[in-house]
Amino acid sequence: MDNGDMDAFREFAGAAIPQLHRIALAACGDRHDADDLVQTTLEKMCAAWGRIERRGEPPMAYARTVLVRSFIDSRRRAWRRSERTTYELLPETAFTERGYGQVDETPALFAALSTLTARQRLVVVMRHVEGLPVAEVARVLGASESNVKSASAEGLAGLRRALGAPHEVTTPTTRPASGRTAMRGALS
């Protein structure tokens, strides 16, 4: 990689780290594992940077895909299955000072996220924290748009249950005429 490419990659990495870290933290539930996942993602991105630029691929979309696939790969490893992640996190001032503190990072939120499946966590974070469209999340996960919508609805319902949201927020209502299900509340 020449100096121009390295400068472009450094600029991209500097801008992308906060967003990648939010996704990784929500997926892993542990700051250290999230840091490792972001590092792995950036290493793979650096190795492929020339190809990404030649093909004209959007680097952030590529990075999200690498991050999700690296996360899934890490969960398949045998040594990983024997470890348990705790969600009793102590506040770390340095974490917020680095600019990642834009999402509620309370232990209660991490505990609620830990009740979701890995896919539901990834979908909820990419859709509702990062604001990505359903089609982009489906592409990153290699799933259909209907699977993403379903995982999003199930994930939000699980978060509401885990966080003790009021009953009327968590109750789906079905309209008999259309047969469609609608969620009431602020998070739907």
Side-chain angles (χ1 to χ4, degrees):
M1 182 182 306
D2 67 13
N3 285 342
D5 286 345
M6 186 55 81
D7 290 341
F9 175 74
R10 282 188 184 124
E11 184 178 331
F12 164 77
I17 285 174
Q19 184 177 5
L20 292 173
H21 201 272
R22 280 192 303 270
I23 296 169
L25 183 58
C28 299
D30 179 78
R31 285 185 171 94
H32 303 290
D33 288 344
D35 288 341
D36 291 345
L37 186 57
V38 170
Q39 180 66 33
T40 300
T41 299
L42 292 176
E43 287 172 3
K44 291 178 179 180
M45 289 286 297
C46 186
W49 189 254
R51 184 176 68 241
I52 294 167
E53 285 197 322
R54 277 193 308 278
R55 291 182 182 171
E57 296 181 36
M60 195 61 208
Y62 189 91
R64 280 191 296 267
T65 301
V66 169
L67 186 135
V68 167
R69 290 181 181 167
S70 296
F71 171 71
I72 292 168
D73 288 346
S74 74
R75 297 298 179 210
R76 290 182 181 151
R77 295 189 186 118
W79 64 268
R80 182 71 185 147
R81 286 188 284 252
S82 65
E83 291 185 6
R84 290 289 211 218
T85 302
T86 62
Y87 291 93
E88 299 169 355
L89 303 173
L90 297 174
E92 294 183 18
T93 327
F95 186 76
T96 350
E97 289 173 356
R98 292 190 330 228
Y100 305 136
Q102 299 170 11
V103 176
D104 185 11
E105 296 169 355
T106 62
L109 178 61
F110 288 118
L113 283 170
S114 74
T115 65
L116 304 179
T117 66
R119 181 173 288 266
Q120 288 171 346
R121 278 194 309 269
L122 287 168
V123 168
V124 166
V125 170
M126 285 193 278
R127 285 280 299 129
H128 302 285
V129 175
E130 296 300 322
L132 297 176
V134 172
E136 175 66 11
V137 175
R139 188 196 64 73
V140 168
L141 294 175
S144 69
E145 290 185 21
S146 61
N147 284 345
V148 169
K149 291 176 185 177
S150 175
S152 179
E154 292 165 1
L156 290 174
L159 282 176
R160 289 182 188 118
R161 277 191 305 275
L163 293 171
H167 179 69
E168 65 272 1
V169 173
T170 61
T171 307
T173 57
T174 305
R175 296 180 188 168
S178 68
R180 293 186 178 181
T181 301
M183 296 296 287
R184 286 184 279 159
L187 293 177
S188 58

